[in-house]
């Protein structure tokens, strides 16, 4: 049991030992780092696919491995814009920003770094702030910052799982890594930092 002594700088409780408890900040930091780790792992295994395999329409929502990974890049860029107070319209969620895996991988790495940097800048109190934005179709929406970050992490896991399955179908189960969050926490997540 931790004994609490008061409120810390970010509004979180402070333990008797002086360590601040910041559950949302710590949660979203871990998920930002986890997403980077999982993205690096999926791109490493995707490098084993031929260009034809990357582009092959396998009936997924965004058709191919390349289409699915590009969708994540498009949407994460869109969310970064929204976090900056911009609401781009007319974005196509199936745009292929990068047709080659090396350029897609570099762009993915850049977006992951931007998300990590952003999440590490937030205080615990920031997660309760409402953000107003427009959908790509122009609809007005308000969500709390915590809700947006939860969506971004969940959305990445959802579509990265689709890419994982597509790669597994082509290369076999033994060729693809397990990307469970719990595995990250007890392996790469130990001491992981921006």
């Amino acid at each position: 049991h931790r004994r609490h002594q008061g409120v810390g700088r970010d509004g979180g409780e402070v333990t008797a030992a002086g360590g601040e408890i910041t559950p949302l900040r710590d949660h979203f930091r871990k998920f930002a780092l986890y997403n980077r780790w999982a993205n690096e792992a999926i791109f490493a295994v995707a490098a084993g696919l031929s260009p034809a395999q990357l582009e092959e329409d396998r009936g997924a929502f965004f058709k191919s491995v390349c289409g699915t990974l590009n969708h994540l890049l498009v949407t994460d860029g869109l969310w970064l814009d929204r976090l900056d107070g911009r609401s781009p319209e007319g974005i196509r969620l199936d745009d292929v920003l990068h047709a080659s895996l090396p350029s897609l991988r570099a762009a993915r790495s850049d977006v992951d770094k931007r998300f990590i940097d952003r999440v590490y800048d937030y205080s615990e109190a920031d997660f309760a702030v409402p953000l107003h934005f427009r959908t790509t179709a122009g609809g007005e929406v308000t969500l709390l910052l915590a809700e947006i970050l939860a969506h971004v992490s969940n959305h990445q896991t959802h579509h990265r799982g689709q890419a994982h399955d597509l790669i597994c179908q082509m290369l076999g189960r033994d060729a693809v890594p397990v990307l469970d969050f719990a595995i990250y926490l007890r392996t790469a997540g130990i001491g992981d930092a921006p």
Side-chain angles (χ1 to χ4, degrees):
H1 291 272
R2 291 183 178 168
R3 291 187 315 205
H4 304 291
Q5 288 190 323
V7 176
R9 182 177 57 85
D10 287 334
E13 296 179 66
V14 177
T15 66
E20 197 166 348
I21 301 169
T22 53
L24 286 177
R25 186 179 69 186
D26 294 344
H27 171 81
F28 289 119
R29 284 179 175 183
K30 283 180 189 171
F31 267 98
L33 295 172
Y34 161 73
N35 277 322
R36 176 184 65 189
W37 171 81
N39 287 331
E40 288 171 354
I42 204 73
F43 273 91
V45 73
L49 297 173
S50 70
Q53 287 174 312
L54 284 166
E55 295 290 336
E56 182 182 348
D57 184 343
R58 299 190 60 87
F61 199 81
F62 292 96
K63 300 181 180 176
S64 66
V65 172
C66 185
T68 302
L69 296 176
N70 267 283
H71 168 70
L72 284 173
L73 190 65
V74 168
T75 55
D76 288 353
L78 182 60
W79 283 110
L80 281 167
D81 282 342
R82 289 171 176 163
L83 292 174
D84 286 338
R86 296 184 304 272
S87 293
E89 293 182 26
I91 302 289
R92 289 185 45 95
L93 301 180
D94 62 352
D95 276 347
V96 174
L97 303 177
H98 299 275
S100 79
L101 191 64
S103 65
L104 180 57
R105 190 177 195 173
R108 174 77 262 166
S109 180
D110 178 61
V111 167
D112 286 342
K113 181 182 181 334
R114 289 171 55 205
F115 256 109
I116 291 167
D117 290 347
R118 176 61 61 88
V119 170
Y120 269 74
D121 283 343
Y122 291 131
S123 72
E124 187 71 13
D126 290 333
F127 298 110
V129 172
L131 296 175
H132 311 284
F133 61 91
R134 287 184 315 279
T135 66
T136 56
E140 298 286 331
V141 178
T142 300
L143 293 173
L144 299 179
L145 175 61
E147 295 168 330
I148 290 171
L149 295 178
H151 167 75
V152 169
S153 293
N154 186 61
H155 185 255
Q156 276 205 28
T157 299
H158 169 67
H159 287 293
R160 191 175 44 242
Q162 291 174 338
H164 185 277
D165 181 57
L166 295 173
I167 296 168
C168 184
Q169 291 174 32
M170 290 183 271
L171 298 181
R173 183 177 174 193
D174 293 338
V176 293
V178 177
L179 300 179
D180 291 356
F181 182 61
I183 290 175
Y184 165 78
L185 289 175
R186 60 183 198 260
T187 58
I190 299 171
D192 197 4

